[in-house]
Every structure is written in C-alpha cells, then in structure tokens.
Amino acid sequence: MWVLRVCAITAGLSLVSQSAQANTMSASTRPPLKISAQNSAQPVSFDARPPVRTQVPSQAQTVSSDAGLQLWITEFKPRAVAQGIDLSVLDRALRDVNYDAKIIKRDRNQSEFTKTIWDYLSTAVSDLRIKNGKAALQKHAEIFEQVEAKYGVEKEFVAAIWGLESAYGTFRGSDSVIRSLTTLAYDGRRGEFFEGELIAALKILQNGDTSAQNMTGSWAGAMGHTQFIPTSFLAHAVDFDGDGRRDIWSDDPQDAIASTAAYLAHFGWEKGTPWGVEVTIPDSFDYLLANRDIAKSPQEWANLGITGTHGSIKNYGPASILLPAGGDGAAFMIFGNFEVLESYNTADAYVIGVGHLSDRIKGGAAIKSGWPFDDNALTLKQREDMQRLLTAKGFDTDGIDGKIGPKTVNAVRAYQVSEGLRPDGYASPALVNRLQR
Ligand code: CA
C-alpha cells in the first residue's frame, strides 16, 4: 500500500478521494505500507497518479527493456552493498531477474480510473465480504483473540483490513516482488521510491524471513495477506508464531494478522473507540464546520443538532464531521482511530470501507443515508480542469495534479462560498460544469 493510494478490493477498482482529508502520499510523513496499485490483489487504487519523473536518466535507462535492466542492476549493486546488503544476497536474488513489461504497462495505466465512494463501498463492504469476514474471524478465533490482547486492536478491524487487502488471503499476489521492484526502480518513474523498497526487500531476504521465490506480491510490490510494502514490513512485521521468521506470505495468516495489529498499534490505535459513526445533519448546519481541522466533543456536536443515526454517541473524545460526498451523501463523526487507519491508506473511501466493514462484521447496521447516485466519478481531465479553473479564479489548489487533496477541497469551499452555494467542499460534476461555463 502506499499511502497513497491503494487498497484492496478484489476487482481492481480505483477511486479518487473527494474529501479534505485526502492526503497525498508525498505529503504524508507516515511510512507507506503499500504501493499504489491496481491488481487482483489490490482492489482499489485511490489516487494513483505518481509524480512526474524528474530524474535524469542514467546510462542504463537510455537502453530499453531487458538489456537496460541488466545494466541498471550492475549500477545498483554497489549502492545496495553500501546500504548493508551482502553481495552474495544480491547476486542470488538478482541473478535471474528480467524486465517485466506488464508491470510498466500497469504502472502507466492506473491513473485514469476512478470510482465514486458509493460504488467503492458496495464492493468493499459487500454481503459476501461481510460473511467471509465473520467466517475468517471464527476460523482463526484463537489467533485473533491473542493478537487483540497483545496489541490492543479489535479483531474486527484487523479482519477488515485483511478482507480489503487480499479478500482474507485469497488474493495475495503472485508476482515476484524482487522482479517487480527491480523493474519499477529501473523504469525510473518514482525510481527512487522503488529502489528504496527493493533494498528493503533485499534486507528481508538477508534476514532470512523468506526466500526470493516465496516473496510474492502485487505487481507493485505489496506483499502478503495485508499487502505490506517492504519498508513497512521491516518496521512493523512480527514473528507471532515464534518460528524465527516473520512470514506474511504463507497460507498461515497469523504473522500477517499480528503484523497488521502491530502496525495499527504503532500509529496510536485506541481500543474501545470507533473509527467513526454515521450522523444525521440538521438543515441548519453550517457546512464550514465539516472540516478536519475542526474538532468538538460529541456533546458539542449534539448541541449543534448533529445526532447519531443509529443511536446516541458516547463521548469518545474530539471528533470531526466528514462528508465524503458532500451534503447530499452520508455524514460521519470521526474519531482518532480514523487517522490511524489513514496510515494504511489515506483515501477516505478506504478508511470508511475498513471501518464500516469492521462494524458490519461485528453485526452493526448498514450505512443508512443515501448518496448522490446520479453523480459520476470525475475523470482525470475533469479534476485537472477543475483545479485549473479554480486556480484561475484565485482559489489556489496548490497545483494541477488531478488529486483532490485538502487544498483542492478548501478551494472548492471558497468557490462555493463566493457563489453562494452550500460550502460542503464536494467536487461534484455539477460544480465542474459550473466552473466550465
Ligand atoms: Ca513466524
């Protein structure tokens, strides 16, 4: 996963976050867990547009495909050795690596696809995924109990991540991680990032956690049951069964389950606190308050007329109001654990998907509110046009990158205010049309 933008539903969906909270990977200080990607193991790629390549091509990159890759490997080895990788590990791991054109093709093709949050959630939290989540919890009940006790993360959340990342281990990815990362590092678009991941992958081999042959994952290098990228593995994976290896790749999911809980614990998980709860917003609501920078207690929100859709809300601490599809869609009161889940993937849709799936696995109610179902997801061109037009009108979007991050949402709000529209920050097709007129 990368923080960016990834996730996992079995169908290769992609979606761009609409909310103010959508960080971009590059802006996040959190370690990426997974690489943005779309493949069978990783359903969703939220905002998959990587930065434009700015590196000067090396000698290796001026030659195409496999010959170039081999030359690149020769150049790479001393850099890897300088970072502590034994030459023998390098030689063995890279000996038979060849260029994988399919990966580059996928890397180039991921940016155009988008999905609305309601389409995403219909797959992410399908009846089948809920049912399979309950079954997975039952099948591995003892492990989940032990992991929850040790790391303080409720088992339903860990199961939900597992469910979204690999359909509970069904789609863990079968591409060679070393080959994928070598190809992507050589290719150069985000080359520095992938070279760092390749070195981390080689460290994992050097540690003896697994073999190059068994180190498989998504085409973009996300590995195992919960799709850790190598740097996140090094930082957070644990050997839960005590066999001396941190094995997130094998059929036995226990190390992966524990590693995922360890990861969330590291980022500050608060047991007993929800990710968020669905709320009902009064007509009189000041939409400028639905902003991640504004936090109030549930009681303070109640004083403003915001009530829990499924019952009263306990005081779980400071909360913000999130409207992932504007004033005509579902609204959520979100707590600290929402931000913890963002460490896995910053897209609102992903976090809501994990949170809601965990609620449903636990037997909670479905999201009650509707969504603006008539709205199509914005295309990349529409998103860029919108940013260009907002910027031209004096509402700074911090560049034209097609990503709807906090700056763009704030620009949308400012434009809505200036036009006398409801300032919900929602980048709808109607708003784009209005700008284009
Ligand atoms: Ca182990």
Side-chain angles (χ1 to χ4, degrees), residues 62-311:
T62 60
V63 186
S64 70
S65 69
D66 203 49
L69 183 86
Q70 300 309 328
L71 190 51
W72 183 87
I73 287 174
T74 307
E75 296 176 347
F76 166 72
K77 281 183 179 175
R79 297 199 293 274
V81 168
Q83 295 206 45
I85 310 294
D86 295 344
L87 200 52
S88 61
V89 172
L90 275 167
D91 286 342
R92 202 174 326 126
L94 299 174
R95 193 172 45 207
D96 300 322
V97 169
N98 53 5
Y99 182 83
D100 189 346
K102 152 191 117 239
I103 283 171
I104 299 306
K105 198 172 169 201
R106 299 187 83 152
D107 183 56
R108 296 292 184 268
N109 286 339
Q110 47 176 329
S111 61
E112 288 294 337
F113 306 101
T114 58
K115 229 173 187 357
T116 60
I117 187 170
W118 49 94
D119 281 346
Y120 172 68
L121 290 174
S122 70
T123 306
V125 195
S126 65
D127 289 346
L128 181 64
R129 205 180 302 266
I130 296 165
K131 178 174 158 237
N132 289 345
K134 290 177 178 173
L137 273 184
Q138 208 162 27
K139 183 175 176 189
H140 304 283
E142 201 177 331
I143 298 296
F144 273 109
E145 293 296 341
Q146 290 170 359
V147 165
E148 179 171 325
K150 178 161 184 182
Y151 296 101
V153 181
E154 289 92 335
K155 54 184 181 288
E156 292 84 1
F157 285 97
V158 178
I161 287 178
W162 190 21
L164 285 189
E165 296 296 340
S166 69
Y168 310 102
T170 308
F171 300 101
R172 309 202 287 277
S174 56
D175 286 315
S176 158
V177 168
I178 295 292
R179 179 164 82 152
S180 299
L181 293 175
T182 304
T183 298
L184 288 160
Y186 157 67
D187 171 63
R189 202 175 63 86
R190 293 194 291 168
E192 200 178 329
F193 170 79
F194 285 112
E195 181 167 326
E197 292 303 324
L198 175 59
I199 285 178
L202 291 162
K203 280 183 183 163
I204 294 167
L205 296 179
Q206 184 158 302
N207 292 344
D209 288 305
T210 191
S211 65
Q213 197 176 8
N214 288 334
M215 185 186 262
T216 54
S218 78
W219 68 265
M223 313 180 299
H225 290 265
T226 54
Q227 301 282 282
F228 273 39
I229 56 171
T231 48
S232 291
F233 177 98
L234 286 179
H236 303 290
V238 297
D239 171 24
F240 195 72
D241 64 4
D243 70 351
R245 296 180 302 121
R246 299 177 287 179
D247 187 356
I248 62 169
W249 300 270
S250 72
D251 289 341
D252 181 345
Q254 62 182 301
D255 282 3
I257 288 168
S259 297
T260 304
Y263 182 93
L264 295 176
H266 172 85
F267 285 99
W269 189 264
E270 291 174 53
K271 195 177 178 193
T273 302
W275 63 277
V277 292
E278 188 180 359
V279 291
T280 304
I281 305 273
D283 291 340
S284 60
F285 184 62
D286 174 2
Y287 280 86
L288 291 173
L289 296 175
N291 184 320
R292 276 296 278 286
D293 294 334
I294 296 174
K296 297 175 184 297
S297 70
Q299 184 57 54
E300 287 172 317
W301 286 120
N303 295 341
L304 294 169
I306 293 188
T307 56
T309 305
H310 307 280

